[in-house]
Amino acid sequence: MSLLNAILVGLREIWAHKFRSLLTMLGIILGVSSLIAMSAIVKGMEHGMKEAMIALGGLDKVLTREAPVPTWQSHLSDQARGRTMRDVEALQRSAPLIRMVSPEMALERVTISRGDKRTRPSEFVGVWPVVIEMNLHNLEHGRFFNDVDEANAHAVIVIGTAIRDDLFGSPEQLGREVIPIGERVQINGQTFTIVGMFEHYESDQDRKKREWAREHPDEAAQKQAVARGRPGYGGGGSRSGWAFDRKNRTVYCPMNTMWLRFRAASGTGNVPDPTLTDIDFKVEDLSQMEDALQQAKNVLLTTHNGIEDFSFSTQEGNIESVDQAIRNARMSGGIISAISLLVGGIGIMNIMLASITERVREIGIRKAIGATFLDVFTQILVEAVVIAIIGGLAGLVAANLLVRFLASLSPTGNTPIVTFEAMAMAFGFSVAIGVLAGLFPAFKAAKLNPIQALRYE
Amino acid sequence: MALIELRGVSKIYHLGGEEIRALDNVDLDINPGEFISIIGPSGSGKSTLMHILGCLDSPSKGSIKLDGMEIGSASARELARIRNQKIGFVFQFFNLLPKLNVLQNVELPMVYAGCSSRERRERAMDALRLVEMDNRAKHRPMQLSGGQQQRAAIARALVNSPKIVFADEPTGNLDSHTGETILKLFHDLSLKGSTIALVTHDPEIAAVTPRKIEIRDGKISKNVDAKLSGQHDGPKFAVGSQQN
Ligand SMILES: Nc1ncnc2c1ncn2[C@@H]1O[C@H](COP(=O)(O)OP(=O)(O)O)[C@@H](O)[C@H]1O
Ligand SMILES: [Mg+2]
């Protein structure tokens, strides 16, 4: 019997028991669709996380954080001075494995106002121009600070677009570009001039959404009316959007401006507080991260008189925890799909065993007429595989519907990404399951003794 | 040379320590073109003999030669091929596949022979014409009377032009009138040159064939060839050949 014939016989058999076959396929359909949906969700997560990672300044960036004085040095804690400009100079001078150092001096609880409009930045920081490269900023309008601003502590700021949106209105609301260069605003009661504005940072997904909205203004208005009912911060955005939103709410001023206008006048007990909020640096070579951190530690221990009141935090640590989260999601998704596929396989095997018991007589007749072991084996195996293939195909369709449904449930989440590899793999699995599930029943049927099969009533 | 030669064939079953000799040291020759009946009471070993003759079963002892080939040394695959090419079976319960129509049932042996679909169709229709069932080709077995089903089964047995056709109680499930038309069909086929072995417990049916083999407790007790002894004057059928 040819393979084509076997497939036709298999299809006829499946068609003859439509409902039973559908139930049998259900396990495979569930397994395939969950496998694809899970991998699509993980893929979407991965994409969003990677984007956010870059928005936060790239992989080679290291943060120097304040840390409590270790217990064995606690008797020295009154000598711990925290991180100051001395550290920055020392790192620049004595740590060749470090490419750039960016000091940050932040002011907490800041309100920016213009007329009756007010808003809060994510951070208001005194910085050096190197911060642009450090945090991967892109200045779109105006200029950044220069040495003159720094030396004279000019009251100038560079802002992100979200600050502009809050104080001057967004281009979406006003229907025209808004560039507030040269405008004056109040920061905690002091007047500052905006000299520059960064580009608008957003995820790929949000960009696509915005571009689509620009091309389809009518539908977009409808959608926005729906979306307005949803809770969100600063206009929402994708799940990785917090990183972009944060970046868009940045306000920078020259380091010296921060020091002279805010910090020098407001330390505890009127003693000026020269500590930096942050010392970021980038390493020359990502592969020498460990060495660079050791070098930085040595330098800082010298300037800190041996007191270890600092610690480093790398993006690598973040990446690792993200990777871990992704691996966990992938693992649990994989286990769920594997179990459904296994159950589907057992279902197929079960139904094939029941089917050959029902068809003992048919098999006996076929053998008496001249069917060989291989003929019967192929017939039953092909039938199992055909069930699995149809189930697999239905699973592919179901997966795409499921993913679309999930995406429509939370349009602000990371869009799941269905990959061809995931579909091919899931389909391949379902076929393999069909083969495995069919082997034993096929063997059992092919081994049937035709005489006993014919006596069977 | 005989078409089939059995020499010292025994079939022994063991049931709970007890030995059942379904066949006991049987010698038998069947020549090409013969029309024989194997007759005996129920449980005497007729079906067992037919299964062994038809290469569906293997003997516990003894040798079988079919068409010059020693069956004992054949592989399972070769046996399947012999059943497919050289042997046709007709059963008491017709044994058509209920999900296939008559034509597909008759085509089935050719499917396993690997014939093209065109050849299958032509030869199946020829065989159906021979048993006057060509006008029922698209019917399902369930839509046919017992006699019609048995005709279709005979067409299936003949379609690969076998060396011999075995029929195990072919009229056992039919009323006497229909049974007679089926016997008439076998008789006509025999006149056209087919080799046919009828298995039955009914002496009236056995009377149709020139040669009778009587079997009792697994042993051949009588082997009468009327043609050789000149006593056989041919069967008398009450029905015409056009009825069913
Ligand atoms: N598979 C088997 N196991 C045990 N005994 C069997 C088996 N098949 C047949 N027999 C026994 O062999 C004897 C002959 O059976 P069978 O050839 O079917 O007789 P008949 O067809 O003449 O009625 C009977 O006694 C039957 O019980
Ligand atoms: Mg019998």
Side-chain angles (χ1 to χ4, degrees):
Chain A
M1 187 152 71
S2 70
L3 193 63
L4 182 69
N5 242 308
I7 292 172
L8 287 178
V9 170
L11 283 175
R12 188 156 48 208
E13 202 59 44
I14 290 163
W15 186 246
H17 304 279
K18 288 176 271 297
F19 189 61
R20 187 168 90 175
S21 305
L22 184 72
L23 286 180
T24 311
M25 287 169 197
L26 220 51
I28 295 288
I29 295 175
L30 280 178
V32 166
S33 52
S34 68
L35 187 62
I36 294 173
M38 288 290 177
S39 90
I41 289 168
V42 168
K43 199 86 194 162
M45 240 163 76
E46 205 169 4
H47 185 74
M49 303 265 197
K50 289 269 154 68
E51 259 187 334
M53 222 33 93
I54 287 167
L56 290 174
L59 267 179
D60 50 353
K61 180 177 161 186
V62 180
L63 312 176
T64 310
R65 294 192 185 284
E66 189 179 346
V69 177
T71 45
W72 70 87
Q73 292 178 326
S74 56
H75 60 289
L76 300 171
S77 61
D78 57 336
Q79 295 179 37
R81 280 195 228 118
R83 294 148 303 152
T84 63
M85 289 308 265
R86 273 186 60 206
D87 298 329
V88 176
E89 281 150 23
L91 283 172
Q92 281 178 322
R93 208 174 38 238
S94 322
L97 289 176
I98 287 171
R99 183 153 65 93
M100 65 174 84
V101 185
S102 168
E104 291 187 6
M105 186 181 276
L107 188 65
E108 303 296 327
R109 286 182 292 282
V110 172
T111 308
I112 305 184
S113 59
R114 172 176 174 269
D116 56 350
K117 286 185 175 167
R118 48 182 48 234
T119 186
R120 285 179 175 278
S122 61
E123 53 176 3
F124 174 47
V125 201
V127 293
W128 285 354
V130 71
V131 77
I132 292 213
E133 208 182 328
M134 176 61 66
N135 289 344
L136 303 176
H137 274 295
N138 209 346
L139 195 73
E140 191 168 327
H141 301 286
R143 63 174 181 88
F144 207 71
F145 321 125
N146 51 33
D147 291 346
V148 181
D149 297 316
E150 178 68 31
N152 296 321
H154 281 157
V156 291
I157 53 171
V158 170
I159 62 170
T161 54
I163 301 294
R164 181 266 324 260
D165 292 351
D166 289 351
L167 297 181
F168 300 90
S170 68
E172 277 81 11
Q173 288 163 353
L174 301 175
R176 61 179 165 80
E177 193 55 271
V178 185
I179 306 167
I181 305 298
E183 299 281 347
R184 279 151 203 276
V185 295
Q186 307 289 314
I187 299 180
N188 285 7
Q190 302 200 37
T191 304
F192 278 74
T193 306
I194 299 169
V195 295
M197 184 170 75
F198 297 121
E199 69 171 24
H200 180 62
Y201 304 112
E202 62 192 338
S203 64
D204 289 350
Q205 193 192 340
D206 287 340
R207 179 174 2 265
K208 271 184 231 137
K209 225 179 267 172
R210 205 162 46 83
E211 274 159 14
W212 179 84
R214 197 182 303 149
E215 281 157 30
H216 309 81
D218 301 344
E219 291 167 62
Q222 270 178 5
K223 274 207 172 166
Q224 218 168 17
V226 176
R228 204 159 286 153
R230 292 209 177 90
Y233 174 73
S238 65
R239 201 169 295 155
S240 59
W242 62 270
F244 296 99
D245 194 53
R246 211 184 122 77
K247 206 166 173 177
N248 283 328
R249 306 195 140 267
T250 301
V251 177
Y252 287 149
C253 71
M255 178 60 81
N256 232 352
T257 308
M258 176 62 73
W259 169 243
L260 290 176
R261 287 182 181 259
F262 296 101
R263 281 293 186 87
S266 71
T268 32
N270 271 345
V271 181
D273 173 12
T275 56
L276 295 170
T277 326
D278 215 339
I279 302 175
D280 298 347
F281 58 86
K282 286 202 172 182
V283 297
E284 279 289 354
D285 183 353
L286 204 53
S287 64
Q288 287 184 317
M289 178 64 91
E290 288 299 314
D291 295 343
L293 289 182
Q294 190 56 50
Q295 201 169 57
K297 186 175 172 182
N298 292 345
V299 170
L300 292 182
L301 280 176
T302 313
T303 52
H304 286 229
N305 297 327
I307 302 171
E308 200 177 341
D309 58 346
F310 57 87
S311 69
F312 301 119
S313 136
T314 62
Q315 297 277 30
E316 209 165 329
N318 286 339
I319 286 267
E320 226 151 74
S321 63
V322 165
D323 275 354
Q324 186 64 43
I326 285 171
R327 233 173 292 141
N328 287 346
R330 193 173 282 156
M331 173 78 85
S332 52
I335 288 174
I336 292 174
S337 324
I339 289 175
S340 344
L341 281 174
L342 187 73
V343 169
I346 292 172
I348 290 182
M349 187 184 292
N350 193 22
I351 221 69
M352 292 314 296
L353 285 175
S355 162
I356 63 170
T357 309
E358 266 173 28
R359 285 149 71 192
V360 163
R361 195 173 188 84
E362 173 194 327
I363 293 162
I365 294 166
R366 286 179 184 273
K367 289 195 116 182
I369 280 171
T372 60
F373 179 93
L374 198 63
D375 286 327
V376 177
F377 187 84
T378 313
Q379 184 191 333
I380 303 298
L381 188 63
V382 162
E383 210 174 301
V385 173
V386 167
I387 289 182
I389 285 179
I390 296 176
L393 290 176
L396 291 188
V397 175
N400 282 290
L401 294 177
L402 184 67
V403 165
R404 210 167 292 176
F405 175 68
L406 288 178
S408 75
L409 271 190
S410 69
T412 58
N414 292 311
T415 314
I417 302 166
V418 178
T419 60
F420 175 76
E421 287 81 14
M423 297 214 290
M425 189 179 74
F427 185 68
F429 267 136
S430 67
V431 174
I433 289 277
V435 172
L436 286 179
L439 280 178
F440 176 60
F443 183 79
K444 210 177 155 195
K447 274 302 248 194
L448 265 180
N449 180 344
I451 304 165
Q452 258 138 39
L454 286 172
R455 277 185 203 271
Y456 196 93
E457 288 299 328
Chain B
M1 190 187 67
L3 180 62
I4 297 183
E5 289 179 27
L6 292 197
R7 291 292 174 269
V9 164
S10 298
K11 181 72 186 181
I12 299 162
Y13 293 107
H14 297 276
L15 275 185
E18 199 188 342
E19 193 179 83
I20 299 170
R21 288 184 171 261
L23 286 180
D24 193 1
N25 200 19
V26 171
D27 295 329
L28 178 63
D29 283 10
I30 299 176
N31 291 308
E34 273 196 301
F35 187 22
I36 77 170
S37 54
I38 299 169
I39 183 168
S42 180
S44 54
K46 307 181 295 292
S47 295
T48 307
L49 178 61
M50 187 193 99
H51 291 150
I52 286 175
L53 288 169
C55 301
L56 274 173
D57 204 355
S58 51
S60 313
K61 266 187 228 155
S63 70
I64 319 161
K65 231 182 200 173
L66 176 89
D67 203 20
M69 184 180 175
E70 195 61 55
I71 296 304
S73 56
S75 67
R77 196 183 165 73
E78 285 167 329
L79 287 179
R81 177 129 193 101
I82 289 168
R83 289 199 293 271
N84 186 241
Q85 297 291 311
K86 301 194 170 175
I87 292 163
F89 286 107
V90 177
F91 302 97
Q92 179 176 356
F93 296 101
F94 323 133
N95 281 348
L96 297 168
L97 296 190
K99 285 168 205 152
L100 305 184
N101 66 29
V102 165
L103 183 65
Q104 290 165 327
N105 265 290
V106 176
E107 283 183 8
L108 205 55
M110 292 184 283
V111 169
Y112 291 115
C115 299
S116 72
S117 60
R118 187 198 168 88
E119 185 185 355
R120 291 202 309 252
R121 173 126 323 184
E122 281 173 7
R123 276 170 52 190
M125 284 312 292
D126 286 346
L128 284 172
R129 232 165 271 134
L130 198 64
V131 299
E132 293 164 23
M133 281 291 291
D134 45 322
N135 55 345
R136 298 281 192 278
K138 298 287 176 185
H139 285 56
R140 291 292 187 93
M142 293 301 280
Q143 299 166 321
L144 300 177
S145 71
Q148 288 171 325
Q149 288 189 54
Q150 197 61 300
R151 279 166 185 275
I154 291 168
R156 183 179 66 185
L158 291 172
V159 79
N160 269 347
S161 317
K163 298 278 181 192
I164 183 165
V165 174
F166 293 104
D168 193 354
E169 309 271 10
T171 59
N173 235 26
L174 302 172
D175 64 72
S176 60
H177 174 81
T178 316
E180 207 161 322
T181 65
I182 293 294
L183 287 179
K184 173 90 172 63
L185 178 56
F186 277 120
H187 185 254
D188 293 348
L189 291 171
S190 151
L191 291 181
K192 286 179 190 158
S194 295
T195 312
I196 299 167
L198 276 183
V199 173
T200 181
H201 65 278
D202 183 352
E204 270 186 50
I205 292 170
V208 172
T209 65
R211 184 177 169 200
K212 294 182 216 21
I213 291 160
E214 219 176 290
I215 187 165
R216 225 165 254 280
D217 297 329
K219 290 193 178 76
I220 292 182
S221 57
K222 252 192 223 164
N223 187 346
V224 190
D225 197 331
K227 270 191 183 145
L228 293 182
S229 55
Q231 291 167 346
H232 194 75
D233 47 1
K236 305 200 169 36
F237 290 105
V239 290
S241 60
Q242 295 308 309
Q243 284 176 275
N244 55 354

